[in-house]
Amino acid sequence: MHITNILKLGGSVITDKKGHYSIRYADVYRIAQEISLAYSMCSKRMLIVHGGGSFGHPTVAEHGGVENPMATSQVVYFMRELNMVIVDALNAYGVPAIPMDTHAIFYRDCEKFLQFFYKPLEEAIEKSIVPVLYGDVVFGCKGSDVLSGDEIVWRLSTVFKPCRILFASDVDGVYDKHPSEVGAKLLDVVSLRNIGVIEFGSQGRTDVTGEMKAKLLYGLRYWHGDIAEVLIFNGLKKGRIYNALCGKDVHGTRVIL
Ligand code: IP8
């Protein structure tokens, strides 16, 4: 199935990672407005995935993982709360978005392959509904684990073949070294085959599912011939999410194989 966009809203774009359970409401509403404009102008067939931010990561860290049943329950609880805020904001601006509980449709099999039941997503997209998935707990043959929104995005792309995979981050893209270091340069293009030579440092953040490098490593694992365009850009800068969704020029890093 072909769709226009898969958009990942990084946890640091929609929440304030310095606080616990703290939402960047002004950004969430601005982003919902941009997505709404893109929905009406150019992108009816899309999937949205968001990260855990200050809802998912501190909860996982507090419990030391998600193996414990109560940890699973708490992580799912807080991620659904965050998901509802995002879906509500989209609905408020007229986007027919629906929550799509990731833990209920994804499963990690015994070979560690990420299986998922994609029919409901397909049906929703056919109806121009926008499913909103999120980084979550994933049940699996070898126990429960945290599933990053980044892995969800790349895995979805193997089935939904989007024109664009878009990662809205809180930095402009991938830098040749830690962005806070003097002389750090934004890379216009990054080749997944060369990620070994980039000094990632922490690229600004730490969280339980990894950072910029992990995002790219998933790309290497899931890359397939139908991937047309992958862009990492700053979702905190006004207008960039709309421009990216509509295929306009956006300052950021293009990812190629
Ligand atoms: O922020 C992680 O998703 P990510 C989700 O996309 C949880 O890596 C539950 C921490």
Side-chain angles (χ1 to χ4, degrees), residues 55-229:
F55 280 64
H57 297 280
T59 314
V60 174
E62 208 172 290
H63 291 274
V66 292
E67 265 305 333
N68 177 295
M70 207 55 216
T72 294
S73 158
Q74 289 282 284
V75 171
V76 169
Y77 176 88
F78 285 112
M79 286 309 300
R80 291 179 99 220
E81 286 235 320
L82 177 59
N83 182 257
M84 214 53 233
V85 170
I86 305 302
V87 171
D88 276 351
L90 289 165
N91 291 164
Y93 284 100
V95 180
I98 55 167
M100 195 57 84
D101 284 325
T102 312
H103 59 270
I105 57 170
F106 280 80
Y107 180 76
R108 183 89 63 192
D109 71 17
C110 296
E111 278 71 51
K112 295 201 167 166
F113 190 70
L114 194 56
Q115 305 279 4
F116 75 108
F117 181 44
Y118 59 83
K119 276 280 163 204
L121 293 171
E122 224 173 43
E123 291 299 325
I125 292 165
E126 281 302 341
K127 293 179 164 59
S128 299
I129 290 167
V130 180
V132 184
L133 300 92
Y134 50 91
D136 197 1
V137 174
V138 62
F139 294 107
C141 165
K142 301 204 166 110
S144 309
D145 206 352
V146 176
L147 175 60
S148 160
D150 293 331
E151 183 172 2
I152 298 170
V153 167
W154 287 107
R155 179 68 178 95
L156 288 171
S157 82
T158 63
V159 171
F160 291 99
K161 315 216 183 310
C163 302
R164 288 176 291 273
I165 298 176
L166 303 170
F167 291 98
S169 171
D170 65 339
V171 289
D172 282 357
V174 183
Y175 288 79
D176 60 347
K177 52 180 99 146
H178 190 288
S180 67
E181 272 183 44
V182 182
K185 275 206 307 286
L186 181 75
L187 302 169
D188 289 336
V189 180
V190 73
S191 164
L192 294 174
R193 291 199 179 104
N194 291 336
I195 53 177
V197 303
I198 300 170
E199 290 168 39
F200 282 93
S202 77
Q203 296 269 342
R205 298 167 303 276
T206 47
D207 59 42
V208 295
T209 49
E211 299 147 6
M212 200 61 90
K213 188 171 185 181
K215 201 187 286 302
L216 299 176
L217 285 171
Y218 286 126
L220 206 49
R221 187 190 311 168
Y222 287 105
W223 194 272
H224 54 88
D226 289 313
I227 290 182
E229 186 175 9

Side-chain angles (χ1 to χ4, degrees), residues 40-62:
S40 58
M41 302 294 283
C42 60
S43 181
K44 291 255 176 323
R45 291 161 71 86
M46 67 174 147
L47 286 166
I48 296 176
V49 181
H50 65 77
S54 67
F55 280 64
H57 297 280
T59 314
V60 174
E62 208 172 290

